Amino acid sequence: LDFTLDDDDFIADTETAKELKATGDVVTFGRHKFKVFAGISETVLNGSDANLVAYVDRALESGVAAKEKKVAFTTTPKTGEEHMSFYKAGVKEISYGEEDKREKNLYKAIKKAIADLHEDYRENAVIYMRYQDYSDIIEILANGNATLYAAQPEQVLGKPVEFCDSAIDPVVGDFSYSHFNYDLDALYDRDKDIKTGIEQFVVTAWFDHQIKLKSAFRIAKVEKTTP
């Protein structure tokens, strides 16, 4: 944390003060084991001039990074991993409008979510959202004017945007309070199935994702239309 918890009276954001009083100022990281696999046939492995082993190892590292996104933005986390997901960890949801006009309402919901953040977090806020949702917003706002399509997302929404297909509802906040911690060194192994000739490459990693302050984040929601 950027401050030392002694007396929460000095914290201007009462929501943060209540959270710190409830959870304390110590964040404890656990170990959650994840594996990423890649299979390559012996024909490809031995018949290529390229350094495929190094290429596969880099691809496995990318797979672990993709796993980080998956656990942080899943709506159906595994048992014991609920705290890793922004959608299941108790982050405050800010709603605007209904699903039948999602494109227009989502823009308002994002703006409302940014405004709802305390200024300490708003200053460094970033928006994680799907590119599809952003494109829909641009189409509505542009209304036939091509100029807006050339604008940077930050100019349109007021904060930097990172696109993530897993972010079904935009997550807005100061992501310095989203912390991935790796415990133990990653293990790289390989094994061969002599019957099929497939060489299996695997990386095993132990990590945990802790949202150090839920108060630093908001989820921009558009309510589903009541049938």
Side-chain angles (χ1 to χ4, degrees):
L1 298 178
D2 291 336
F3 45 79
T4 301
L5 180 61
D6 179 22
D7 181 355
D8 62 19
D9 290 343
F10 78 96
I11 303 174
D13 181 15
T14 56
E15 190 174 336
T16 300
K18 289 177 182 176
E19 181 182 344
L20 288 174
K21 184 172 286 188
T23 62
D25 63 339
V26 177
V27 176
T28 303
F29 290 93
R31 288 180 183 173
H32 299 268
K33 184 167 72 173
F34 299 94
K35 289 181 178 287
V36 179
F37 299 91
I40 297 181
S41 71
E42 58 187 356
T43 305
V44 172
L45 195 61
N46 295 320
S48 173
D49 294 332
N51 185 358
L52 287 183
V53 174
Y55 175 81
V56 171
D57 284 345
R58 288 195 300 270
L60 290 173
E61 291 172 5
S62 297
V64 174
K67 186 68 177 180
E68 290 182 3
K69 276 188 178 181
K70 186 172 182 180
V71 298
F73 292 98
T74 182
T75 56
T76 55
K78 294 180 180 178
T79 301
E81 297 178 5
E82 293 86 355
H83 67 281
M84 294 195 203
S85 169
F86 287 103
Y87 301 121
K88 296 297 180 182
V91 174
K92 184 178 178 181
E93 296 180 352
I94 302 296
S95 299
Y96 184 91
E98 293 186 339
E99 194 72 32
D100 58 344
K101 295 182 180 178
R102 178 176 172 82
E103 300 86 359
K104 187 175 182 179
N105 291 332
L106 190 59
Y107 173 72
K108 295 283 190 179
I110 292 171
K111 289 287 192 179
K112 189 177 177 182
I114 295 172
D116 195 70
L117 285 170
H118 188 269
E119 61 183 342
D120 291 345
Y121 312 127
R122 191 188 311 124
E123 183 178 356
N124 298 316
V126 176
I127 304 165
Y128 273 73
M129 66 184 299
R130 300 187 302 179
Y131 183 77
Q132 170 192 339
D133 289 329
Y134 178 74
S135 296
D136 290 341
I137 288 173
I138 288 295
E139 187 174 349
I140 291 293
L141 295 178
N143 194 25
N145 184 350
T147 305
L148 197 57
Y149 286 94
Q152 293 296 313
E154 183 174 357
Q155 294 174 292
V156 177
L157 297 177
K159 291 295 176 183
V161 176
E162 294 285 347
F163 294 117
C164 173
D165 288 343
S166 301
I168 58 168
D169 293 313
V171 178
V172 182
D174 184 345
F175 281 82
S176 66
Y177 292 100
S178 167
H179 191 145
F180 281 92
N181 185 68
Y182 281 81
D183 196 10
L184 306 178
D185 293 331
L187 296 179
Y188 290 86
D189 297 305
R190 56 189 289 191
D191 194 13
K192 181 178 179 180
D193 186 327
I194 58 173
K195 289 184 178 180
T196 63
I198 298 296
E199 191 95 18
Q200 292 287 350
F201 293 80
V202 59
V203 59
T204 305
W206 291 263
F207 69 78
D208 194 10
H209 176 226
Q210 292 283 348
I211 302 171
K212 295 189 288 185
L213 273 180
K214 300 178 186 68
S215 309
F217 300 93
R218 298 290 186 273
I219 297 173
K221 294 274 292 185
V222 176
E223 295 296 337
K224 292 185 177 180
T225 306
T226 304

